[in-house]
Amino acid sequence: MARGALSREEVLEAAAGLVRQHGPGALTMRKLAAELGTAVTSIYWHVGGREALLEALVERTVAGLGEIRPAGRTPEQRVVSVARALRRQLRDHPHLVALVHERGLTERMFLPAQQALVREAHAAGLRGARAAGFVRAVQFQVVGHVLVERNRERAPVQRPGEEELWSAEAAGDDPALARALARPVDTERLFVTAVRALVGALLAPRGK
């Protein structure tokens, strides 16, 4: 049944939902109209054609990544909060992020998170090239971790798996290490541990 008082934001939210679930290829004006219970002509009236709709989704995704806000009392806590928020955005919206990348707007997409990291670098006393290195190191850590996570998730079942490969002998006669490596990876905990170690090293006074 057709519905009334449809807004542009509702159209974009429904379109983003289709892309999140099935990828950009699944987004057609007919599917979107069916999702919203309206006529295709109504979709065109609100957002224009499919190309204009994709452009609007890209802008919306970029704006969403600009909403990252640091939290915490120490520089390390605040930077870790930015890194976790960026990781969550990238993981929660892979198809939309890919759409942004295909449109050549990846650097613009990351700019708000970079600016948040710049503010934290300055607050911690880093300036110039050292602050720039800090920003890029944290960004690359986040992106690299997400890529590894996604590759592991999409990989076929491994035979033999880690639980079969790791023995005390394989771990250098360290049974506790072997047991730990045989367990599934806690990617969130690993991510936070890595970012904390990275931030601690980057913020340490020179010469230490």
Side-chain angles (χ1 to χ4, degrees), residues 2-205:
R3 53 176 290 176
L6 185 67
S7 70
R8 176 182 170 84
E9 182 56 31
E10 286 177 303
V11 173
L12 292 177
E13 180 60 30
L18 285 174
V19 173
R20 276 195 297 267
Q21 293 178 51
H22 309 294
L27 180 60
T28 68
M29 305 308 263
R30 286 185 180 279
K31 284 184 180 179
L32 183 55
E35 182 77 13
L36 288 165
T38 191
V40 172
T41 52
S42 178
I43 303 297
Y44 279 102
W45 189 86
H46 282 289
V47 297
R50 186 175 185 276
E51 190 64 21
L53 174 58
L54 291 175
E55 290 291 344
L57 283 179
V58 166
E59 290 296 330
R60 193 173 186 272
T61 303
V62 170
L65 282 171
E67 295 173 1
I68 292 175
R69 299 290 183 269
R73 291 176 294 178
T74 68
E76 178 188 279
Q77 289 173 344
R78 291 171 66 81
V79 172
V80 169
S81 76
V82 173
R84 293 180 73 180
L86 180 57
R87 171 179 174 264
R88 186 166 55 251
Q89 290 272 24
L90 297 177
R91 282 193 53 80
D92 288 352
H93 310 294
H95 293 307
L96 289 169
V97 170
L99 190 60
V100 172
H101 181 70
E102 290 168 5
R103 303 265 160 161
L105 293 171
T106 306
E107 296 304 326
R108 182 179 160 195
M109 177 179 68
F110 282 122
L111 182 61
Q114 288 178 318
Q115 290 174 321
L117 291 171
V118 165
R119 289 190 288 272
E120 296 308 317
H122 284 168
L126 304 186
R127 308 291 297 185
R130 193 176 176 199
F134 173 88
V135 171
R136 286 179 173 158
V138 174
Q139 179 189 347
F140 277 44
Q141 174 67 29
V142 175
V143 176
H145 191 96
V146 171
L147 289 175
V148 171
E149 284 184 275
R150 287 187 58 76
N151 283 338
R152 286 177 64 93
E153 290 165 359
R154 291 190 299 236
V157 176
Q158 302 297 299
R159 297 185 180 88
E162 289 179 311
E163 67 282 359
E164 299 170 88
L165 290 170
W166 283 104
S167 63
E169 183 180 351
D173 197 26
D174 187 344
L177 171 64
R179 288 193 298 271
L181 288 175
R183 290 195 292 268
V185 180
D186 184 338
T187 54
E188 171 71 14
R189 184 175 180 180
L190 179 62
F191 175 76
V192 172
T193 298
V195 173
R196 282 177 177 162
L198 176 64
V199 172
L202 292 170
L203 293 181

